[in-house]
Amino acid sequence: MDGHAPGAVLALPASGGRLEARVRARAVQPLISAVEIVVNGQVVAVRESATASDDLSLETFVDVRAGSWIAARSRSEHEIHSAFNSSMASHTSPVYVEVQDRPLFSVDEAGVILDVIDGTLRWVRDMAAVERPIDRGRMVDLIAASAMLLRDRIHDAAREAT
């Protein structure tokens, strides 16, 4: 992303910016059917190949107006047959883009994550096979602390929105 590798954090002014995105997927055999640029979970650019390829590239520009994560992925029509059939694919770690005064935070999406954290907390507290009570208590405390931090952030974001 704009010359930076996955895991990088880019800082943009409040007005955002236009970033160059490049992806190149290579395989030992012709398995790649498409490469994509993904911003906050949404495909914003794609290059598909009529026939499976062993080398497929995509270059585009991405307009960023608020905090975002940007990643690349490849897709294949081929499947891996094991306990479960799954399509072959790859996905990079994201490049994170911080836009001044426009953070990446969605109250709705955070609520879904909070539901998962709460479910994990209940499972660890009530059902997980943990040999020592002290270990269970430590895990419960860590998960509960994470849930509290996210609840506080959701509350703060909701208050700022009003």
Side-chain angles (χ1 to χ4, degrees):
M1 175 57 54
D2 220 40
H4 295 84
V9 179
L10 307 180
L12 295 178
S15 60
R18 187 173 176 87
L19 303 173
E20 182 180 17
R22 284 189 239 172
V23 59
R24 181 179 183 195
R26 292 183 287 177
V28 175
Q29 299 174 5
L31 301 170
I32 306 164
S33 60
V35 290
E36 302 169 333
I37 301 295
V38 181
V39 178
N40 297 336
Q42 302 297 314
V43 175
V44 297
V46 62
R47 178 168 178 218
E48 294 182 315
S49 178
T51 59
S53 174
D54 63 354
D55 192 342
L56 196 57
S57 299
L58 168 64
E59 295 182 22
T60 191
F61 288 91
V62 177
D63 290 317
V64 177
R65 300 290 168 238
S68 302
W69 61 265
I70 304 170
R73 67 182 177 200
S74 67
R75 290 187 287 117
S76 174
E77 300 300 321
H78 297 272
E79 290 186 338
I80 299 170
H81 302 283
S82 59
F84 300 97
N85 290 343
S86 59
S87 297
M88 296 179 71
S90 64
H91 198 297
T92 68
S93 294
V95 169
Y96 299 96
V97 184
E98 295 177 346
V99 176
Q100 184 179 350
D101 299 325
R102 295 180 173 195
L104 171 61
F105 188 79
S106 162
V107 170
D108 291 338
E109 291 172 3
V112 172
I113 293 168
L114 185 57
D115 289 343
V116 172
I117 293 172
D118 287 340
T120 302
L121 178 62
R122 285 189 303 276
W123 178 78
V124 169
R125 185 187 62 221
D126 302 333
M127 295 183 286
V130 180
E131 189 173 322
R132 298 179 338 157
I134 194 167
D135 293 333
R136 182 186 308 274
R138 183 179 50 79
M139 288 186 272
V140 166
D141 290 347
L142 286 169
I143 297 166
S146 295
M148 183 57 68
L149 286 171
L150 186 53
R151 276 190 182 82
D152 290 347
R153 189 157 181 206
I154 291 169
H155 180 266
D156 292 347
R159 189 178 63 231
E160 289 172 10
T162 58

